[in-house]
Structures are given as C-alpha cells and as structure tokens.
Amino acid sequence: MSPILKHAYVTFGSLMVLAGFTRTESTIYYADPVRGNDGNRGLADSPFRSLCACISVIETAGDECRLHAGNYSLGNISCVLSGVHGTLQHPIVISSVGDGPVVLDGTIAVVGNWTPELRKKESISGNVLPARYSTAAPAKEIFQLFVDGKLQMLARHPNAKWTDKSVFLANKNWMKSTIGEHNTTTGLGYLVDAGKCNDSSLCCQLCNEHDLADVKQNISGAIVILNLWSCDTSAERVTYHNPGSHSFNYSATYDGQCDTYRGGQGRYYFEGLEGFLDDEEEWFLDVKEERILRLFPASPSQNVRARVSEYGLIVNNTSHLVIANISVFGSIFSIAGNISNIRLQSVNFSYGSVSRRALGQVTPPATMALFNTASKCVPESCMATNLTIDDASFQFSDGPAIMLQGGSNNVVSNSVFEWNDYTAVGGSWPLDIPLKGKSNRGTTVRTSGVFSFHRLTFANNGAAQAFNADGRIPNLPPVVDLCHFSHQWAMQDDGAFVEGGGDPATVFVRNWAHSTGKAGLRWDGMYPTTNSGLMTRNVVWNTSGVVVKGNKHTVSFNTIFDGADIPPSLPFHDQPRYQDASSYLNNATQPAVGIGAGTRKYNPLADQKTLLENNLADNVIVRRANCPRFPNCTLPGKYVNNMVFSDSPFDIR
C-alpha cells in the first residue's frame, strides 16, 4: 500500500521542459575529472577538472556548469556561488552532462602504513586493550572514516555498530540514568546511572544491561551524548568521574528546547577517549599527534578513506538555480541567504550532515540547508520563495537530513529519507547565519514556512519526528500527501512521524504510517491555536495512533488499528512488536485516536467542533490533562458513521 518512488535519470533537456524553462543562448561550461584541467577555458573541448573551477566562472542568467561522468574530489575546500541570479526562462544550472554518474566526493584516501602501537592502554573495563594500529592522518580535520565504503563508528561506550544499524538501538546500546542536575547558569551537570536491571519487568524501560560502575577507567574529558529531554539531546563534556562509581559530572552548556528537563531521567553514551576503542569497526582520531587509530590494521586490499569535507558547495543570495543529476558522498550543501526559485532535482546525498566530535568538539553537526533568511511569514501573507526538492535522497547523516526555510510555494516531493541521525543531537545553523546555539531538535527535516510534502518515504530515522509542518497563513495550510512513514526509532521520547498544527492546521491526505511507538500523525499545539485541519484517507497501524489536538478539525475515512506495544516515552524496546495477550499495552488502552488533548489544564471547549466521520478504528479516547478529575469529562467532537471496535473481538487486521 505504500507509494512507489522511482528515481529516474532526468536528462538536462527534459529537466528544462519539466521545470517550465526554455533554452537560450548562454555560456555553457564543462568539467571532466579525468581529462580536464583547471587551467583550461572550461569549454566543451577544454573542460575544467573541478567543480569549483566550473562554477567560479558563472556570472549571468543562463550560465551552466555541466559535469561529465566521474568522481569529483572536493577535499576540504568549499566551492562558492554567491550573488548570481538567473531568471525563470534562463536559470543558472549545475548538472550532469548525462554521460554517466557524477559523484561529488568529500573523502580522501588514507594511504599510510599501519603500525602497531607499543604503548599499553587500558580499556574502560580495566583490562589491557589488544594491540592497536595507527597511521598518519591525511588531514588535520577528519570527520568520518570509511573502510570499503562502510562507515566506521567513533570509539564509544557502550559499543554499537553501523553495519548492523545497532547504532540506532538507543534503548539497548545507550546507558540509562535516573536522577541528575542540569544547570546552564552555573554550568553544573550531574548524572546518576540507573545500573543494570535486576527486575525483568523493568527491562528495558528504566535500565538495561549496562552499568556505569563497570567503567574502571577515569573518563573525565570524554564527550557524553545526553537525551535528558523528551525530544531533545545534547553533547557535553565530562568534567569529573571517579572510576567504579555510579555518577559523573559534566559541563552543562545547553538548555533543551523540547519540553522540560526530566530531572536526570534519560539515556546517554560516551565518545572521545582512546580507551573506548575496543571494537573492530571503531576508530579514534588522535588530534594532537594527527594519527588515526584502529583495533586492526587495514589490509592492502581495503579502501580506507577519510571524510574531510563539511560544506562542499556554498550558495549565497542566489535565485533561479537548478542543481540536477548529481550524487554527493560525504559532504553537504549550504544554500542560504536571500534565495528563491532553487530546485534540487535528482540529487542524492549519502553521509551528509556531520558532527565534529571526532575532533573533540561538541558543537552541533554541520547540516545540509536550503534556507531563506530574507522571507518572513507574517499573519496575513508569506512571500513566495519557490524552493523545490524532487526525486532526491538523504541517507546516513550524522545529524538532521536537511533544514528547510522559506516563504510559500515550496515543495518536497518523490524523495527518500532513511537511516538518518543516530545521535539526534540536532543541527547547526547554516553558514553565515548570525544565530547562536543549534537550529534543530528532534526532527529529521527541520522546516519553517509553507511547504507541501508529496510522495515521500521516511524510514528508520532516529529523531523524534520525521518533520514538523505547522500552518500559519490563511488559505495556505501545509499539505502532507501520499507519504510512507515507517520505523521511527526510540532514540528520543514523545514525537510523531509528522507533527502538524497551526491555524489553518496541517492537511494529511492518503498517507501510510506504521511501526513506531510514537504517534502516526499528530496535530500539536495548545487549544485554541490549532484549528481547521484535515486528516483523511490515511492508514495508520502499529503506532501510538493519531493525535487530534485543537478544534474544528475534520477526521474522515481513515483506517487506524493495532496500537504499538510500546509508548511514545520510556519504551520497553526500540521498535514495536505485534500485540498479543501478553503485551503491556493493547488495543483497548492504546488509543487509535487520541482527541481533546493540547491543553495544560482541562478545557471543555477543545475539539468540541471537531468532526470524525466514516473512520475505521480500534478505539477513540479522550486525552486531556487532568480530565479524570472532572465529572463531566466526556469525549468531545461530533461522530458520524464511524466503526470503532474497542469493545469487540473484531480484528481490523
């Protein structure tokens, strides 16, 4: 029942027709990574070698940079396009010629010999580590390491792998905490570990098999990844630790942006010390001595590459730009400033957004951005920015997949977002944006402005939400249509595949959402600020149902069944399982539709004018804070021709 996405190769000529462009006489520059030379003129018979040289000569509307097939090494240099404007008829174009795949590569080869380390090193358990091997780092700043194309994990505790995706199993492979203190005024952070589970009925909600007391090495100076807010996570520095104890201190620099600090209850893991290097798929960067360390040497037949690129392409204050038919490995784009009419067509990103934790830095990950800073939506209008992403893919990022900000007339369509954000610490603001802190929390795709989302696939991402889609402008609600959402991991609490809201609220039409402990679809926000949304013809199963907050919504022709056996917060395991008689939750207690929520206190007016008609659902439950205390707390809304089976043995499946 899920939509089928086809990533067809789009030729340059067909792209111009699809986008409504007409060809004109203009300067067409070429690059070829094999036979080109940056000292050439960049014409068809004398192409440039690099992307940077090709786009550096783009000056006027209609200019194009066409890339011949091959691998373009980006190194640690950013190619810059700034202040150049095309027109609707004559856009600026960066595209493949069409003679084969084009890859912009942000990695360089690691070619040095691997030598055994003679110094003994204790592991965090107090045992002597096996022999380690090192080689000279090919650059001072390295962000990621790949062996035969497979990402190697930064040395960490507890261990987790990328190859089997156990890095997404936060409930299993992070440690659990019970109480603590996080004071950014004094800078004091303090956390107490939960210890190992002795009660199987608790495992693995509040504890698991890990115990900080088993750590016999002093881990002061380590980086700790902390999920201490329901849908927000920070990276901080350990300042004090007594080996064998159940607690540690850290520098508290970040105030969570999602709900409140939970008194220290949450989950965490460590990075940033050589002593954590105890798995064959891990690596550690000795920044001071500029060495890469691994548990085993790379064989001569293995291809070892180090990522050295953050932003391979920087675009500022540019309009009417098309980037098409390109793959990007180990790098991202920053397209920001006063931008409009930007189109990313058939651009595929692998290992995009990236952190600097390998360098010992806890700043938010550098994040892919399509981000207009000039357009401001006001209550009555929103300037059209016409930002478009079509037939793209965003995979394997160490941070949010992308940040989107625009006015109106923005579309994301026919694209895939999968296996992104395995720490969920959020992302940085785009380059040259004078804002402090991080831009993103708890979302795979951060959005601001009026966007439509059509025929997208989101699968196996780590943050609390796939994306947010709030309505702000009269007659311009965000539309989420024909999307397939599945397997959002339990790395953060709360959340939903899509968190909509606003006035007019988000329109959800013909989507599939399944396999997460979080809500399938959700209108969030406090009554009476979330109104007049539409949720119709969606199929939602094995989730925490759909959440209807606010008022004056229409919920119709939806099929919602088989609530997840884990709650949105403090789950017992990382993915929901099919319910049976032994499940902790069941279809009678886990709502298919939760209605009336969205107020901190009981408000009898919430959802009173919401219409539910022609739905097929396991149950409908009122979800108001403090509602049980009120004698007249009844199910709000108007109900017409629904089939609800909470009191029936009928199984919708």
Side-chain angles (χ1 to χ4, degrees):
M1 298 174 66
S2 65
I4 299 174
L5 299 180
K6 297 182 179 179
H7 287 264
Y9 194 85
V10 182
T11 65
F12 179 79
S14 65
L15 173 63
M16 295 296 98
V17 173
L18 288 171
F21 302 135
T22 58
R23 293 298 308 279
T24 185
E25 295 299 324
S26 58
T27 305
I28 302 176
Y29 300 100
Y30 293 86
D32 190 313
V34 177
R35 64 184 183 90
N37 188 304
D38 284 349
N40 289 342
R41 296 180 301 161
L43 301 180
D45 59 349
S46 59
F48 295 121
R49 184 178 183 86
S50 68
L51 171 68
C52 288
C54 191
I55 69 171
S56 69
V57 293
I58 291 177
E59 296 180 342
T60 61
D63 282 355
E64 303 170 13
C65 170
R66 296 192 185 184
L67 305 174
H68 283 285
N71 189 297
Y72 291 79
S73 178
L74 297 172
N76 57 4
I77 298 174
S78 298
C79 305
V80 178
L81 182 68
S82 182
V84 182
H85 301 278
T87 66
L88 181 62
Q89 292 75 26
H90 310 305
I92 304 297
V93 176
I94 302 171
S95 176
S96 163
V97 169
D99 56 354
V102 170
V103 179
L104 307 183
D105 189 352
T107 69
I108 58 177
V110 178
V111 296
N113 293 325
W114 293 85
T115 58
E117 291 289 297
L118 300 179
R119 291 174 294 176
K120 299 295 184 181
K121 192 75 175 180
E122 286 188 352
S123 70
I124 61 168
S125 63
N127 300 320
V128 176
L129 286 167
R132 289 155 296 118
Y133 292 79
S134 68
T135 189
K140 287 187 176 181
E141 291 196 341
I142 294 174
F143 310 114
Q144 292 176 314
L145 190 73
F146 299 89
V147 177
D148 292 335
K150 298 176 182 178
L151 178 68
Q152 307 297 287
M153 295 307 303
L154 288 173
R156 55 173 282 170
H157 178 76
N159 288 339
K161 297 179 184 292
W162 174 256
T163 52
D164 62 7
K165 301 302 185 288
S166 60
V167 70
F168 287 89
L169 299 178
N171 207 56
K172 177 181 179 182
N173 294 327
W174 293 35
M175 304 179 83
K176 300 293 183 75
S177 59
T178 55
I179 58 174
E181 179 181 352
H182 186 91
N183 190 325
T184 55
T185 300
T186 64
L188 175 63
Y190 174 74
L191 205 62
V192 177
D193 185 70
K196 293 182 179 178
C197 269
N198 295 315
D199 184 348
S200 60
S201 67
L202 292 176
C203 191
C204 296
Q205 184 183 30
L206 302 176
C207 50
N208 55 24
E209 63 184 23
H210 305 294
D211 195 330
L212 183 62
D214 293 337
V215 175
K216 306 304 182 183
Q217 179 189 132
N218 189 331
I219 58 173
S220 297
I223 293 172
V224 59
I225 309 298
L226 299 162
N227 173 226
L228 303 178
W229 303 265
S230 63
C231 48
D232 205 352
T233 305
S234 68
E236 306 283 13
R237 180 85 55 191
V238 177
T239 56
Y240 175 79
H241 171 248
N242 183 20
S245 69
H246 283 283
S247 64
F248 63 93
N249 292 4
Y250 63 90
S251 178
T253 64
Y254 176 71
D255 280 320
Q257 300 175 9
C258 184
D259 293 337
T260 58
Y261 175 68
R262 298 180 297 188
Q265 186 178 75
R267 48 182 83 88
Y268 68 97
Y269 77 91
F270 299 106
E271 293 177 342
L273 293 181
E274 185 182 340
F276 298 149
L277 182 60
D278 59 359
D279 185 87
E280 62 181 358
E281 294 185 20
E282 291 182 337
W283 71 291
F284 179 78
L285 179 65
D286 185 333
V287 176
K288 184 178 180 180
E289 298 188 20
E290 298 182 18
R291 302 177 306 156
I292 297 172
L293 289 94
R294 298 184 69 228
L295 206 59
F296 300 105
S299 69
S301 63
Q302 287 183 310
N303 180 20
V304 183
R305 300 188 67 84
R307 176 174 178 171
V308 296
S309 175
E310 284 185 302
Y311 297 95
L313 175 63
I314 298 173
V315 178
N316 292 319
N317 304 321
T318 293
S319 64
H320 292 97
L321 168 68
V322 176
I323 303 176
N325 300 321
I326 293 172
S327 294
V328 184
F329 184 93
S331 190
I332 53 177
F333 299 165
S334 176
I335 305 175
N338 188 1
I339 60 170
S340 63
N341 296 280
I342 308 292
R343 184 182 188 94
L344 301 183
Q345 177 73 47
S346 303
V347 182
N348 303 307
F349 293 89
S350 296
Y351 304 98
S353 301
V354 67
S355 78
R356 298 177 68 88
R357 295 193 306 278
L359 301 170
Q361 300 175 20
V362 296
T363 52
T367 304
M368 170 76 191
L370 186 57
F371 199 91
N372 183 294
T373 58
S375 66
K376 299 295 183 182
C377 293
V378 296
E380 297 301 327
S381 65
C382 208
M383 184 182 76
T385 47
N386 301 304
L387 308 179
T388 301
I389 298 175
D390 183 65
D391 191 43
S393 64
F394 298 81
Q395 300 171 301
F396 320 140
S397 67
D398 179 17
I402 189 171
M403 290 187 301
L404 302 173
Q405 177 167 300
S408 61
N409 292 2
N410 307 301
V411 179
V412 184
S413 59
N414 302 302
S415 297
V416 174
F417 300 81
E418 60 181 354
W419 296 112
N420 294 292
D421 210 353
Y422 48 86
T423 60
V425 297
S428 65
W429 293 102
L431 292 177
D432 302 322
I433 302 300
L435 296 171
K436 296 181 180 180
K438 66 182 182 182
S439 66
N440 182 90
R441 55 84 181 158
T443 53
T444 304
V445 178
R446 185 262 197 200
T447 66
S448 179
V450 182
F451 282 80
S452 293
F453 305 89
H454 176 73
R455 201 176 286 272
L456 306 177
T457 293
F458 282 81
N460 293 297
N461 297 294
Q465 306 164 25
F467 59 88
N468 57 297
D470 289 346
R472 301 181 182 181
I473 309 302
N475 302 315
L476 285 177
V479 177
V480 183
D481 175 43
L482 283 172
C483 295
H484 181 197
F485 303 99
S486 70
H487 300 93
Q488 198 85 353
W489 292 94
M491 302 187 71
Q492 295 179 318
D493 291 338
D494 202 357
F497 281 123
V498 184
E499 192 157 292
D503 188 359
T506 317
V507 173
F508 298 105
V509 183
R510 298 173 295 178
N511 300 289
W512 295 262
H514 63 92
S515 304
T516 184
K518 306 179 189 307
L521 304 173
R522 171 173 169 171
W523 285 307
D524 207 2
M526 302 299 174
Y527 172 84
T529 59
T530 298
N531 294 290
S532 306
L534 174 64
M535 187 180 294
T536 186
R537 292 176 169 82
N538 302 284
V539 182
V540 180
W541 72 99
N542 204 18
T543 74
S544 291
V546 301
V547 177
V548 181
K549 298 183 180 182
N551 201 11
K552 302 178 183 177
H553 301 303
T554 299
V555 181
S556 62
F557 297 99
N558 300 288
T559 301
I560 309 165
F561 61 101
D562 279 356
D565 72 333
I566 55 174
S569 298
L570 300 176
F572 288 82
H573 38 265
D574 290 282
Q575 286 281 299
R577 305 163 185 168
Y578 181 69
Q579 291 188 22
D580 56 28
S582 65
S583 298
Y584 169 71
L585 302 174
N586 55 60
N587 288 342
T589 59
Q590 186 74 332
V593 180
I595 189 170
T599 54
R600 296 191 184 279
K601 295 183 179 180
Y602 174 67
N603 189 323
L605 298 179
D607 275 318
Q608 288 297 332
K609 295 184 179 181
T610 291
L611 172 65
L612 287 86
E613 61 177 347
N614 298 302
N615 297 289
L616 182 64
D618 281 327
N619 56 18
V620 181
I621 294 177
V622 61
R623 297 186 68 175
R624 283 196 181 101
N626 301 322
C627 184
R629 302 180 186 177
F630 291 82
N632 296 321
C633 179
T634 58
L635 197 67
K638 181 180 180 181
Y639 298 81
V640 178
N641 200 36
N642 299 286
M643 299 181 70
V644 181
F645 296 99
S646 57
D647 298 321
S648 167
F650 178 81
D651 190 336
I652 292 176
R653 178 188 289 262

